[in-house]
Amino acid sequence: KSGLDPGGAWHAWGMACLKAGNLSSAREKFNRCLKPPMDLNQLNHGSRLVQDVIQYLEATVKPILIADDDYFATLRELEATLRTRSLSLEMMCEGKVQHNSYYQECLFYLHSYGTNLAIISFYMRHDCMREALLHLLNKESPSEVFIEGIFIPSYESGKLHMLENLLETIDPGLESWGAYLIAACKYLQRKNYYHILYELQQFMKDHVRAAMTCIRFFTHGAKSYTELGGKQTWLLKIKDHLKVYLQEVSRSAGRKKMAFTFRKKMSATDVSRHINTVDLQMEVTKFLHQCESLGASQMTGSSLPTLFGNNNMKMDVACKVILEGKNIEEGFGIAFRVLQDFQLEATEVYSKVAKQLVKQQKYSEIRQLLKCVNESGVAAKNDGDNIILNCLNEFKNIPSEDLDNLIQDMDSDENKIQAYVMCNKLRSAYLVSVRQEKARAVQLVQHVRQLAESSGDDVVKAICAQWL
């Protein structure tokens, strides 16, 4: 009469019937106020009213045998009961859920009015993980339901191994779980749960991604190569994963195409290249670890360079190796291999090293560096000269004697003249200029005379004028 929504009254009446133990009457009352959710895959447990019913039933759990109530069951209820039974027949949980009428009642309400997440969470609460997994597969629920309803509760309660065993039992190839497992990996990565991630990747036999996780374990948070020296077991694990992957690829190549749909793929050449990188990183780590323990370490950057970074970081590794040995020669061999393997810009690296040596006032070592570069066999004609010119460009305060030694080490007279001019040693520039072939010498001396004039060096200006 008053036009109020009768839903609340039906719900209260249904709850009263439940409390009186009259299960079939309760179903009839609830049928008038409960509705199935619009989207069964929404990430919640359905309406508050359904949750109240389930909560009450779970809290009550009296092993009442289905008796007199059922004589009054209407045909519709009977049909609903049968439908629920057949739905959950394949996934009947052993023990208490199967034999208890209150749990059966929970399943009836969940299947009729609950979301997939609510049903899965119910099974998980009552240690029926297999049933939860089968329900997920049967309903083709999205990954979020798997993560929220099964995965998070499993690792939080220490049942990850149990979950892995069940996934394998239901589908030994894990293919039907592929999308769920990848989603779980992404979730763990977002959360920074790398140890659980690594454990899961090993279970998935996803060797390439497991190797990538090991790289993170090796590099993350390390502040020195002494620390990295203590983490070298991760490098061995990376190699193991990549080798196993190569074996699997070569095994499956002979047979018909294997459907490794969710595991990360990589070409055999790429894998071999990565194994080579790991070997080289091991060598770099041993060398720099040894240098640090002898107290030779010079370079301190904000982040520690390794060969797993981009090309700039690899170039930093090469510089670090050359600079931190007892002398330039000691680390040059390893650095040279880094430059060759990754096809890095060698002159840029050598110039960087030379500039560091100028800062450290180790001028004789710059000459040793040039000797190594020339003996490496792949240096272009002017590489050594360019390294020196790059240094002079930046540093004007190299002591005179060291400066002369460096410039005299240059190959090309033209470069020597350029170097003397840069350092304002006009007399030396004049002396090299006059040794050139006549026409060129005239040009060079005229240039030196102009410079002397503009810098007010009357002596050199006069010498040039006299020669001309």
Side-chain angles (χ1 to χ4, degrees), residues 32-45:
R32 295 170 183 269
C33 63
L34 297 180
K35 289 181 178 60
M38 298 290 281
D39 173 14
L40 288 174
N41 286 320
Q42 59 197 41
L43 285 184
N44 58 41
H45 291 256

Side-chain angles (χ1 to χ4, degrees), residues 236-290:
L236 296 171
K237 284 184 178 175
I238 298 168
K239 271 182 78 170
D240 290 344
H241 285 300
L242 294 175
K243 282 178 176 171
V244 172
Y245 177 77
L246 275 182
Q247 285 164 4
E248 285 183 1
V249 168
S250 60
R251 267 207 303 272
S252 64
R255 286 177 280 167
K256 64 180 191 319
K257 262 285 183 229
M258 283 184 75
F260 283 140
T261 46
F262 65 92
R263 296 177 181 95
K264 190 167 177 63
K265 291 190 181 70
M266 195 178 269
S267 71
T269 23
D270 281 350
V271 174
S272 305
R273 207 177 65 242
H274 286 307
I275 291 174
N276 188 38
T277 300
V278 174
D279 285 334
L280 203 46
Q281 180 63 53
M282 279 175 139
E283 226 175 304
V284 166
T285 307
K286 279 176 190 154
F287 178 77
L288 290 176
H289 181 199
Q290 193 183 345

Side-chain angles (χ1 to χ4, degrees), residues 292-311:
E292 283 183 6
S293 60
L294 296 171
S297 182
Q298 306 284 354
M299 287 170 78
T300 48
S302 51
S303 66
L304 198 62
T306 69
L307 298 178
F308 299 119
N310 57 20
N311 278 357

Side-chain angles (χ1 to χ4, degrees), residues 326-328 357 362-370:
K326 285 199 293 287
N327 51 42
I328 294 296
L357 292 170
K362 295 180 175 174
Y363 304 109
S364 59
E365 296 206 7
I366 298 177
R367 300 176 76 182
Q368 196 182 3
L369 171 70
L370 296 174

